[in-house]
């Protein structure tokens, strides 16, 4: 796990430096920064969502899902940058505006004419030119950067669950209830216990986990008590042997 953590640090560091260079080459800094954060934080958020809400996920599903999500979002981000795709802005129109220029100060004739023409004109947005691309993945690159995080989470969860079921899913009954967030117990606590039991997908309840923990503590206490009795008996026998030897 330590080696894996070091490798992930190197991977994310290289990606962050690479995107920092790309940000310096583009004009839309806000869009580029949002894209960078979403590409990196989306797979990480998906990893936590997979582990907290889905009890069947295992180690291989988490690793493969996170790497696949990171690869796909990096591909989309680089593709959007290479094709210079920008999220279109909303159009505006000044038709019907009744604000007229009233001159109260001395202005030159040229300034008055230009100002009057500007304020009384109707702004008509020029529709962007349609760019035809032969790239078969061009439509995928047109995904808005505002959807990068949600897309990364979805890819991580779907791929992670598929890989987990292929490689051997984790049994929900073997999990500790404090490691899984039971969303139905929080949102719908008034449902019958028979329904909630099915919605938990086999994850043991908190009371059952605490009971098993208490039983384990009791067993340890009993074992310690038996060890103490055995030690006391051994000391008594040793004391008796010493007295016999003295006599």
């Amino acid at each position: 796990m330590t080696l894996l953590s070091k490798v992930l640090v190197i991977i994310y560091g290289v990606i962050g430096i690479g995107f920092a260079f790309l940000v310096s080459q583009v004009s839309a800094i806000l869009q580029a920064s949002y894209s960078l954060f979403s590409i990196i934080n989306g797979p990480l958020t998906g990893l936590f969502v997979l582990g907290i809400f889905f009890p069947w996920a295992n180690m291989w599903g988490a690793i493969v899902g996170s790497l696949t999500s990171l690869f796909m979002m990096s591909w989309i981000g680089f593709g959007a940058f290479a094709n210079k795709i920008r999220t279109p802005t909303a159009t505006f129109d000044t038709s019907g505006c009744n604000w007229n220029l009233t001159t109260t100060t001395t202005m030159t004739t040229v300034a008055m004419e230009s100002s009057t023409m500007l304020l009384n004109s109707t702004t008509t947005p020029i529709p962007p030119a349609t760019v035809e691309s032969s790239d078969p993945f061009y439509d995928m690159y047109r995904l808005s950067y505002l959807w990068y995080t949600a897309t990364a989470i979805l890819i991580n969860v779907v791929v992670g669950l598929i890989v987990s079921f292929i490689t051997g899913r984790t049994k929900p009954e073997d999990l500790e209830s404090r490691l899984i967030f039971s969303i139905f117990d929080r949102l719908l606590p008034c449902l019958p216990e028979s329904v909630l039991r099915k919605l938990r997908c086999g994850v043991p309840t908190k009371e059952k986990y605490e009971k098993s923990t208490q039983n384990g503590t009791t067993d340890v206490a009993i074992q310690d008590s038996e060890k103490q009795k055995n030690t006391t008996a051994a000391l008594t026998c040793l004391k008796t042997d010493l007295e016999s030897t003295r006599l």
Side-chain angles (χ1 to χ4, degrees):
M1 297 305 295
T2 303
L3 179 61
L4 177 61
S5 300
K6 294 179 179 179
V7 172
L8 290 178
V9 168
I10 295 175
I11 293 175
Y12 282 116
V14 171
I15 293 175
I17 294 174
F19 272 99
F21 172 76
L22 294 179
V23 167
S24 64
Q25 305 298 320
V26 298
S27 57
I29 301 298
L30 182 61
Q31 178 175 343
S33 61
Y34 272 125
S35 301
L36 173 61
F37 289 134
S38 299
I39 290 173
I40 295 179
N41 295 332
L44 186 60
T45 306
L47 178 63
F48 280 92
V49 171
L50 178 65
I52 293 175
F53 293 99
F54 298 92
W56 310 281
N58 60 10
M59 178 185 68
W60 294 112
I63 295 175
V64 176
S66 300
L67 295 179
T68 303
S69 179
L70 178 62
F71 170 76
M72 291 296 299
M73 300 316 301
S74 300
W75 181 13
I76 294 175
F78 278 110
F81 172 76
N83 289 274
K84 298 182 179 180
I85 296 177
R86 297 289 180 268
T87 301
T89 58
T91 59
F92 64 94
D93 192 355
T94 59
S95 60
C97 181
N98 57 0
W99 181 44
N100 296 322
L101 177 63
T102 302
T103 306
T104 58
T105 58
T106 304
M107 300 176 62
T108 61
T109 305
V110 176
M112 292 178 60
E113 292 178 354
S114 61
S115 300
T116 304
M117 292 176 59
L118 177 62
L119 293 175
N120 293 332
S121 63
T122 299
T123 303
T124 303
I126 301 175
T130 304
V131 179
E132 298 294 338
S133 176
S134 59
D135 193 338
F137 302 102
Y138 184 77
D139 291 335
M140 183 177 66
Y141 301 149
R142 295 176 60 186
L143 177 68
S144 175
Y145 65 93
L146 298 176
W147 287 98
Y148 279 7
T149 300
T151 305
I153 294 174
L154 180 62
I155 294 175
N156 199 335
V157 171
V158 173
V159 175
L161 288 178
I162 292 175
V163 174
S164 297
F165 277 97
I166 292 176
T167 58
R169 65 180 179 89
T170 301
K171 295 181 179 179
E173 56 271 14
D174 296 337
L175 291 175
E176 298 179 4
S177 59
R178 60 193 179 97
L179 301 179
I180 297 294
F181 181 79
S182 181
I183 187 172
F184 297 103
D185 286 340
R186 300 296 180 89
L187 298 180
L188 303 173
C190 298
L191 290 177
E193 181 61 26
S194 58
V195 178
L196 290 175
R197 190 181 302 111
K198 296 179 180 179
L199 295 177
R200 295 189 193 107
C201 302
V203 178
T205 59
K206 182 179 180 181
E207 291 76 11
K208 184 177 180 180
Y209 168 73
E210 291 177 348
K211 184 177 180 180
S212 62
T213 305
Q214 292 175 359
N215 292 338
T217 305
T218 304
D219 294 339
V220 172
I222 293 174
Q223 293 177 1
D224 292 340
S225 177
E226 291 178 352
K227 289 182 180 179
Q228 187 175 4
K229 290 181 181 180
N230 294 334
T231 303
T232 303
L235 291 176
T236 303
C237 293
L238 180 60
K239 183 178 180 180
T240 304
D241 293 340
L242 291 175
E243 291 179 354
S244 299
T245 303
R246 185 186 306 172
L247 295 175

